[in-house]
Amino acid sequence: MSAKYNFDILNATAGDVRRLLESGETTSVDLVKSYLAQIAKHNHKGMKLNAMIATRPVNDALEEARARDKERAEKNLRSRLHGIPIILKDLICTGSLGMGTTTGSLALKGLKASTDATITTLLREAGCIVIGKSNLSEWGNSKGIDVTSGWSAVGGQTISPYVRGGINPSDKWMGHSTPSGSSSGSAVAAAAGFAPLCIGTEVNGSIVQPAVRAALYGIKGTVGDVNMVGTQSGGAAFDSAGPLAKSVEDCADVMEILLPGRDFRNHLNGSWEGIKIAYLSYDAWQFPDSVCEKTPAFDKQHKLAMDEAMKKAESLGAQVMFNADLMSVGDITKTYNTVTQDQIGRHQLAPVIRRFLAIFNEPTMKTLEDVVEFNKKHAAEELPPDQPSQQVLENGLTDKMTDLEYSEGLRHLRESTRDAVEKCLEKADADVVMASGESVMTTIAANAGYPIASVPLGFSSYNGRPFGMEIMARNGHEEKIFEVMSAWETTFPEGRMPPPMLVNWEQCQEKEVALDTIK
């Protein structure tokens, strides 16, 4: 890295990096070297974050970086993210890049995908340089019940760089000490300076909740609009993708690549004027204890901070309906007589995994049954005493729903959930619904197929973990979400800070180097 400037790898956004590239103060080659060095320093060594499953062969990554630098010198820029390193969740296929796609499962370790995912292709065509694959909740959190967020047999347990004391063994599977999931590694990698931004996927909370716990911005695009071909999904009917990043600008730049033809940056005006919010009660929408135990020391601080943030937004021109009336997931099921997300997910699991496995052309690994049997045969690694469940995979083998019941059930579930959301928005005269980052609003968004995003707000005195809020809008209304995200970033910049333990680590390392120099 050039000595002409001070490159702060823990704080640098993709926008910051782009400006350094534009000014000639650095090159894509230097950036790739710096980010790969940061991964080497803290993934399995240093803080041992276990955020990465694989890094790209160095020579390949540098060769692509040199090509992007050459294009820049010739003023042939592909996008605003030209020449910028990026990390993909390890269920997005990268067959041409010298890295596997394991979904965190040993059953796929060593296999090579025969193609790249469309997401991979779009990002590379836009000039992004893929430098690695991030850890995740195995099989995108569609393996077992109560499996700790961020754990996979291949990648181990992803660790939050914010949480003091690491994973608490007594926590629930998404307790306050976990990084949340399933895009756990993508969130931690972005927060730890492994890349300026990362890509995750989400069925139900898998982007926005890890982003909240890493003090990042994140967004899941409208279901069906982002091309998910070449990715593994635990719930294809609800799945989409999006960025986890340190700035709203970066999120907009990525989404303009994943949703070609859309213009999100023109909606980054930093103003609350004209924004109308339906704000859900924390107590009513909080995670159940089976997901994350209620913790008064956390809940009180988080609730107070959210209420104050909403009042601040209101004072700056937003219209906020407090305690907005949105029907719960359970009440929608009862009132509209719908199927559940779990029923839909169970029916589609076997065909989705079969289609995904076909990308690898491996004769011994073709079906859901093959995966379940592999895990049984390799139980010591795949089903260890502290993560013994593959119940979700096994449930997919006992599904009795017909294809007609599935298609009609999914249609009715989506229409019913959208009707419930529409009633909430109309009653509140709102354009978006906002809730805690610890809420089940993600299930509503998933069932409706709606886009959802998250924004950082503060840090818990309980254990240091970040907290934040979520924003949901109607399908195809990402622009409205970006308006809220931009206003939020302008108003609450203190919600976005690098991990203090990593900052202190780097400062201690610098002091040691200085002392060695003196000696």
Side-chain angles (χ1 to χ4, degrees):
M1 184 64 68
S2 168
K4 289 189 290 184
Y5 67 100
N6 180 27
F7 178 68
D8 184 350
I9 204 165
L10 294 179
N11 278 301
T13 67
D16 294 333
V17 169
R18 183 187 70 252
R19 287 180 277 275
L20 291 172
L21 287 167
E22 289 171 346
S23 68
E25 294 178 83
T26 190
T27 65
S28 292
V29 168
D30 282 342
L31 289 171
V32 167
K33 290 178 180 178
S34 292
Y35 285 112
L36 288 177
Q38 181 74 351
I39 293 170
K41 185 186 294 186
H42 286 296
N43 193 51
H44 295 310
K45 298 177 181 179
M47 285 197 69
K48 300 179 180 178
L49 298 174
N50 289 338
M52 302 294 294
I53 281 180
T55 53
R56 191 167 172 192
V58 175
N59 289 339
D60 290 354
L62 292 177
E63 181 181 356
E64 188 165 341
R66 282 189 285 270
R68 298 295 82 79
D69 283 335
K70 183 174 184 292
E71 290 173 346
R72 182 175 293 278
E74 296 168 350
K75 302 189 183 305
N76 183 22
L77 300 183
R78 302 181 178 207
S79 77
R80 285 164 56 85
L81 296 181
H82 182 103
I84 292 178
I86 195 168
I87 288 167
L88 307 182
K89 186 177 182 179
D90 195 31
L91 51 66
I92 300 171
C93 284
T94 50
S96 69
L97 300 183
M99 295 179 288
T101 303
T102 70
T103 75
S105 171
L106 291 170
L108 299 186
K109 188 175 182 180
L111 304 186
K112 181 182 178 182
S114 59
T115 187
D116 287 342
T118 302
I119 290 170
T120 306
T121 301
L122 287 171
L123 290 166
R124 294 187 71 206
E125 287 177 347
C128 298
I129 303 169
V130 178
I131 61 169
K133 307 291 288 293
S134 58
N135 199 7
L136 67 163
S137 304
E138 190 171 331
W139 287 102
N141 201 34
S142 62
K143 179 186 180 182
I145 295 172
D146 294 335
V147 176
T148 306
S149 286
W151 182 87
S152 74
V154 174
Q157 179 63 58
T158 307
I159 302 296
S160 168
Y162 288 93
V163 173
R164 298 186 294 270
I167 300 289
N168 182 346
S170 65
D171 267 358
K172 301 295 185 182
W173 65 275
M174 213 163 81
H176 291 302
S177 67
T178 76
S180 189
S182 63
S183 302
S184 321
S186 294
V188 171
F194 290 1
L197 49 81
C198 300
I199 303 298
T201 63
E202 172 171 331
V203 169
N204 185 345
S206 291
I207 291 173
V208 295
Q209 288 163 356
V212 160
R213 297 197 186 194
L216 300 171
Y217 295 89
I219 182 168
K220 169 193 181 183
T222 296
V223 174
D225 286 0
V226 178
N227 191 321
M228 301 297 286
V229 172
T231 68
Q232 179 270 327
S233 173
F238 312 104
D239 206 15
S240 191
L244 299 94
K246 299 183 183 74
S247 78
V248 178
E249 175 191 41
D250 291 355
C251 288
D253 286 339
V254 171
M255 291 306 290
E256 287 184 5
I257 294 169
L258 298 184
L259 294 174
R262 302 282 288 277
D263 180 357
F264 299 119
R265 283 186 292 109
N266 277 339
H267 293 266
L268 308 185
N269 54 34
S271 172
W272 289 103
E273 291 292 338
I275 292 175
K276 297 185 289 186
I277 301 166
Y279 172 39
L280 302 183
S281 161
Y282 178 56
D283 295 331
W285 285 85
Q286 189 178 5
F287 288 144
D289 285 335
S290 60
V291 174
C292 179
E293 61 286 346
K294 290 180 177 60
T295 308
F298 173 85
D299 296 335
K300 182 178 179 181
Q301 180 189 7
H302 179 37
K303 183 178 179 180
L304 178 62
M306 287 190 300
D307 288 347
E308 290 179 345
M310 288 293 94
K311 291 174 184 175
K312 179 70 170 179
E314 199 173 35
S315 73
L316 294 172
Q319 173 185 305
V320 182
M321 170 66 77
F322 287 78
N323 298 316
D325 185 15
L326 175 60
M327 197 177 291
S328 71
V329 175
D331 285 344
I332 291 173
T333 301
K334 294 174 185 176
T335 303
Y336 293 88
N337 192 28
T338 71
V339 296
T340 66
Q341 187 180 117
D342 285 346
Q343 288 173 298
I344 294 294
R346 185 181 304 129
H347 180 76
Q348 65 186 6
L349 190 59
V352 165
I353 286 183
R354 182 170 62 249
R355 185 166 63 243
F356 180 70
L357 293 176
I359 297 173
F360 297 89
N361 298 318
E362 169 55 46
T364 64
M365 196 59 57
K366 289 186 173 183
T367 67
L368 174 58
E369 290 90 342
D370 292 337
V371 174
V372 169
E373 287 306 310
F374 178 94
N375 290 343
K376 290 178 179 178
K377 291 177 181 177
H378 301 83
E381 298 86 8
E382 279 288 350
L383 304 170
D386 58 337
Q387 312 288 349
S389 177
Q390 62 168 340
Q391 189 64 53
V392 176
L393 294 177
E394 291 172 344
N395 287 346
L397 299 177
T398 60
D399 171 63
K400 302 299 182 185
M401 182 182 280
T402 67
D403 288 346
L404 180 60
E405 289 171 337
Y406 166 82
S407 59
E408 286 298 310
L410 175 59
R411 179 192 59 78
H412 183 52
L413 174 62
R414 184 145 294 161
E415 290 177 353
S416 300
T417 307
R418 289 183 176 186
D419 186 63
V421 174
E422 197 61 33
K423 288 176 179 176
C424 171
L425 291 173
E426 288 178 358
K427 186 174 181 179
D429 185 27
D431 297 313
V432 299
V433 184
M434 291 191 67
S436 162
E438 312 296 305
S439 81
V440 294
M441 187 174 76
T442 55
T443 306
I444 295 287
N447 289 349
Y450 283 174
I452 187 169
S454 58
V455 289
L457 178 55
F459 302 85
S460 174
S461 58
Y462 171 67
N463 67 354
R465 59 147 290 189
F467 57 78
M469 296 191 71
E470 295 164 355
I471 311 156
M472 177 179 67
R474 297 176 177 93
N475 58 308
H477 284 220
E478 284 88 350
E479 289 84 355
K480 184 58 66 175
I481 287 179
F482 273 111
E483 290 176 11
V484 180
M485 294 174 76
S486 176
W488 187 278
E489 184 177 40
T490 299
T491 310
F492 307 109
E494 66 278 2
R496 168 60 236 145
M497 292 197 305
M501 290 186 291
L502 261 178
V503 173
N504 292 338
W505 187 290
E506 299 299 332
Q507 291 174 347
C508 288
Q509 293 294 103
E510 290 173 3
K511 289 179 181 178
E512 289 179 8
V513 169
L515 287 172
D516 288 341
T517 303
I518 294 172
K519 292 176 183 178

